[in-house]
Amino acid sequence: MRTSIYLTVATWLIKADIHKEEREWKRRYRRNAHELPLYSEHLLRDIGLDTEGRPLGHVAPPHVVAKRKTRHLRRELHSRIAT
């Protein structure tokens, strides 16, 4: 069974949106490196920064986020009651 053209377009648009948000996030956080006089890795990690002074946080890769969103969209489409 072929996937619907609407699901294909929705997937493509979601991936494009995630890619755009990821680029904006990287642009914003590249500029926001904090210059602190703390040289201890443990102190920096406690306040949420890595050794270079950038915010910590693990972001899922865009393709994983896109797959997750499309899975949720598919579930929404199938769970709707046809009236």
Side-chain angles (χ1 to χ4, degrees), residues 30-56:
R30 277 188 203 133
R31 293 183 196 151
N32 289 339
H34 301 285
E35 296 294 328
L36 297 173
L38 304 173
Y39 298 108
S40 170
E41 286 185 37
H42 302 291
L43 289 175
L44 288 171
R45 194 175 304 136
D46 285 343
I47 61 173
L49 301 174
D50 64 1
T51 55
E52 297 174 355
R54 302 200 186 279
L56 286 176

Side-chain angles (χ1 to χ4, degrees), residues 28 70 75:
R28 206 171 41 238
T70 54
R75 189 176 58 221

Side-chain angles (χ1 to χ4, degrees), residues 21-36:
E21 287 177 1
E22 186 72 21
R23 277 191 325 225
E24 289 174 358
W25 182 83
K26 284 181 181 178
R27 188 179 319 125
R28 206 171 41 238
Y29 281 98
R30 277 188 203 133
R31 293 183 196 151
N32 289 339
H34 301 285
E35 296 294 328
L36 297 173

